[in-house]
Amino acid sequence: MAEELELIPVPTRILTEKDDIVDTIERYTKDKIGENDLLCCAESVVAITQGRYVRPEDLKISKVAQFCCRFIPDYGSLASPHGMQSLMNVEGKWRVAFALFAGFIAKIFGKSGMFYVWGGKETAMIDDVTGTMPPFDKCIVYGPGEPNEVVKKIQERLGCFGAMIADVNDLKRSRVVGVTDKVDGPKAAQLLIDNPFGNASQKTPICIIKNYKQYQENN
């Protein structure tokens, strides 16, 4: 008889750049995870432990960033001058501006989402000052570095079926950032669509999907 699929959010203390994400995940999950399970972690928390964030007050806002952010929907992380400037600082001011303009033209011709392709990998990864674990909810958080290497280390340390870093929000968006071999990333991401992560005040940035291996084999 197949074991039942179950999503288990795992509480932690506040994590900072002084924490090693692999050591931290092992500490909080070693008595909860088995060889058939999938370990999932919120991408913003991985990035925070890598020191990949910036405080808005440390940014010098350019006129280009002030102009470009006006063309981003209000719910987007790049809709603020600070969010847009943080992107321009890592991907290049003129690259981002060109990608925004070219993406608008592409959308006219029926091809959406090209700004996020042409603007660089951080375009879709940056989290503006919401949704991350306090006190980092006042910071702009970049995407994690080397996510596929991170999940590989997590899997090896825990001995579980797989590990995944995911970008999930309350708008029913769930996206794979890094995932180990043998795991069907899009299928696993759909299981997180209701956002079991509570990486804000709830402090549950880790989620174990129990018996995921059997679920993937049978679906």
Side-chain angles (χ1 to χ4, degrees):
M1 182 177 178
E3 297 289 338
E4 185 177 352
L5 189 76
E6 184 181 6
L7 275 66
I8 303 177
V10 179
T12 71
R13 58 173 171 74
I14 293 174
L15 305 180
T16 74
E17 68 275 14
K18 295 180 180 179
D19 293 294
D20 178 280
I21 191 62
V22 181
D23 291 345
T24 298
I25 288 174
E26 180 184 32
R27 184 182 313 121
Y28 286 103
T29 66
K30 62 183 178 181
D31 298 327
K32 301 179 177 69
I33 195 161
E35 62 181 9
N36 295 320
D37 303 339
L38 177 63
L39 188 286
C40 303
C41 187
E43 52 98 21
S44 59
V45 172
V46 178
I48 285 168
T49 63
Q50 295 173 333
R52 293 177 57 80
Y53 62 89
V54 63
R55 292 178 175 82
E57 59 267 26
D58 294 334
L59 293 169
K60 183 178 180 180
I61 309 300
S62 67
K63 290 183 179 179
V64 177
Q66 290 176 329
F67 176 76
C68 288
C69 72
R70 298 175 185 176
F71 299 94
I72 304 296
D74 289 343
Y75 55 81
S77 291
L78 303 176
S80 74
H82 293 89
M84 183 62 70
Q85 187 63 54
S86 67
L87 174 64
M88 290 180 171
N89 284 356
V90 294
E91 298 292 359
K93 176 171 66 175
W94 297 115
R95 175 183 181 174
V96 173
F98 172 79
L100 187 64
F101 173 76
F104 177 74
I105 299 300
K107 193 170 185 179
I108 292 175
F109 289 94
K111 200 162 187 178
S112 298
M114 297 311 296
F115 166 57
Y116 296 94
V117 175
W118 294 329
K121 68 181 183 66
E122 290 292 348
T123 308
M125 302 281 282
I126 287 175
D127 284 329
D128 202 354
V129 290
T130 58
T132 52
M133 190 178 288
F136 300 99
D137 53 339
K138 306 303 182 192
C139 295
I140 297 167
V141 182
Y142 295 107
E146 303 294 336
N148 286 321
E149 289 300 314
V150 174
V151 292
K152 183 178 178 181
K153 290 177 182 178
I154 293 170
Q155 180 192 32
E156 291 172 350
R157 183 76 67 86
L158 297 180
C160 54
F161 173 68
M164 182 170 74
I165 298 170
D167 178 13
V168 186
N169 63 27
D170 292 330
L171 299 175
K172 301 292 184 180
R173 188 187 72 168
S174 179
R175 185 172 63 87
V176 177
V177 177
V179 68
T180 50
D181 296 338
K182 299 182 181 180
V183 174
D184 184 332
K187 181 175 289 186
Q190 281 302 303
L191 295 174
L192 301 174
I193 201 73
D194 290 325
N195 195 10
F197 294 131
N199 54 313
S201 59
Q202 304 95 327
K203 302 194 196 77
T204 53
I206 302 167
C207 180
I208 298 171
I209 304 182
K210 298 292 293 182
N211 307 307
Y212 176 80
K213 180 180 179 182
Q214 295 97 320
Y215 171 82
Q216 181 172 289
E217 291 173 349
N218 296 329
N219 292 274

